[in-house]
Amino acid sequence: MKIFIRTRGKIADYAFIGEAPSVQWWREFQDATSVEKPTLIVEGDGQQWRCFLSAIPSSRVDRVGTSARYSIAVQGACGEDIRPIISLVGAWLKDVTLGTVGRTVQSAVDSIFEEDTVERLLSLRESTPDSVAEVEKLSLLALSKFTSAIEPVDKSTEGSWVGSTDSSDAKHKFLSRCTDVLSGKFEGCTAVVNLLGNEKEATDFVSEFNLRKPRSSIMLLIDDIGCPLKRIEKKNPIHDHAIPAHSKAMGSLLIPAVLIMATILMAIWALTPGTPPPP
């Protein structure tokens, strides 16, 4: 398991401390969410998984008094102990959806990443093996402080779904889906996003996701109390080159007819001296 922490200092702008992920994969969702606001994405392919959480407040402030925020990215292999990640996701989800943004997660992260430590790590021009090891140690220590604030239901919901962050049922099922993705039981994605304002926008996004990734599924929560928890059925893509059945039947009849006609024309040409060959 690898953990990456992004934050800012009094002067230094936002950057990953220690080591940065090789790919900022969460940008795939940039049309659905702004990472400057609370965003949660968990995805996996049955063998590997990755998780991203953003807009976690800090008690630290920059030089003009604006609160600094944390983003946390984690990646690992299915089969690892995922209980700390599930607890982190559950605590984040409770903080955000109950209007107490950052109280649980902020407290845990701030207690480990003290201001002097953050400023020192941000001042490094580039990461070193020692700084990477230090951040990893501190991050694991922070993870150990989380306990799950929302319990998953016993059985996850299959397929692609949309729901509201105001729905207790949706949040429990969401956490169950996260558990299945992280453990490798389910190939797909779960996300809490902030740029989709209503049920239709969320449904359209899920439908497009299903077309782009037909072997995967997604469960999406948005901040819209009017969005019911519902399943979005996958649609079979329509290919422009698809040939209707009756056209195929006509084609199978037309080819022998053309061959017969060509044979007749060749026979007439062979039996009639001086006749130019058929085209």
Side-chain angles (χ1 to χ4, degrees):
M1 183 188 300
K2 298 201 70 171
I3 308 172
F4 308 94
I5 305 290
R6 181 177 183 267
T7 189
R8 70 159 301 146
K10 282 191 175 296
I11 299 176
D13 201 357
Y14 281 97
F16 283 95
I17 55 177
E19 186 178 9
S22 58
V23 178
Q24 296 190 15
W25 55 270
W26 50 89
R27 289 185 175 179
E28 180 183 350
F29 289 80
Q30 62 185 358
D31 292 336
T33 196
S34 167
V35 297
E36 301 302 318
K37 298 178 180 179
T39 297
L40 166 62
I41 306 169
V42 176
E43 63 179 27
D45 61 5
Q47 297 181 337
Q48 303 288 327
W49 56 262
R50 49 195 186 185
C51 173
F52 177 77
L53 310 94
S54 75
I56 301 166
S58 166
S59 59
R60 296 176 294 103
V61 296
D62 62 18
R63 58 183 175 180
V64 296
T66 303
S67 176
R69 300 182 301 274
Y70 297 103
S71 292
I72 301 176
V74 194
Q75 61 191 45
C78 298
E80 293 182 279
D81 183 6
I82 60 170
R83 289 175 296 179
I85 304 302
I86 292 298
S87 295
L88 169 61
V89 170
W92 183 95
L93 195 57
K94 182 177 180 180
D95 286 346
V96 171
T97 60
L98 296 185
T100 56
V101 181
R103 288 185 181 176
T104 302
V105 182
Q106 173 187 341
S107 176
V109 178
D110 271 349
S111 68
I112 301 300
F113 287 92
E114 298 177 346
E115 184 169 5
D116 291 344
T117 300
V118 172
E119 293 292 339
R120 174 173 52 81
L121 290 169
L122 284 171
S123 69
L124 298 176
R125 290 185 176 274
E126 57 184 30
S127 62
T128 65
D130 288 342
S131 66
V132 171
E134 180 181 3
V135 172
E136 182 177 358
K137 179 181 178 180
L138 294 175
S139 299
L140 291 173
L141 195 56
L143 278 181
S144 69
K145 292 180 172 290
F146 294 112
T147 57
S148 183
I150 300 176
E151 293 297 328
V153 295
D154 293 336
K155 187 176 181 181
S156 183
T157 307
E158 296 182 353
S160 290
W161 293 73
V162 298
S164 170
T165 53
D166 288 306
S167 167
S168 296
D169 187 35
K171 286 186 286 188
H172 286 293
K173 285 183 170 63
F174 181 90
L175 198 58
S176 290
R177 171 67 67 86
C178 288
T179 303
D180 286 349
V181 170
L182 292 168
S183 63
K185 296 179 182 178
F186 192 92
E187 179 179 341
C189 173
T190 60
V192 178
V193 298
N194 53 62
L195 294 182
L196 305 178
N198 54 52
E199 177 186 347
K200 181 182 184 306
E201 292 179 355
T203 300
D204 290 346
F205 182 86
V206 170
S207 297
E208 291 175 6
F209 180 95
N210 287 339
L211 288 174
R212 286 187 288 108
K213 299 184 178 182
R215 298 183 60 184
S216 188
S217 296
I218 183 173
M219 187 169 189
L220 197 71
L221 296 188
I222 63 172
D223 184 16
D224 177 17
I225 195 172
C227 182
L229 179 64
K230 69 173 187 177
R231 183 168 181 167
I232 309 300
E233 297 296 336
K234 291 191 174 184
K235 299 178 181 179
N236 293 324
I238 300 175
H239 300 289
D240 293 336
H241 61 271
I243 302 175
H246 67 274
S247 298
K248 293 179 180 179
M250 291 294 292
S252 63
L253 294 174
L254 184 60
I255 292 174
V258 171
L259 292 175
I260 293 172
M261 182 62 70
T263 302
I264 293 173
L265 290 174
M266 291 296 293
I268 293 173
W269 172 75
L271 295 174
T272 308
T275 304

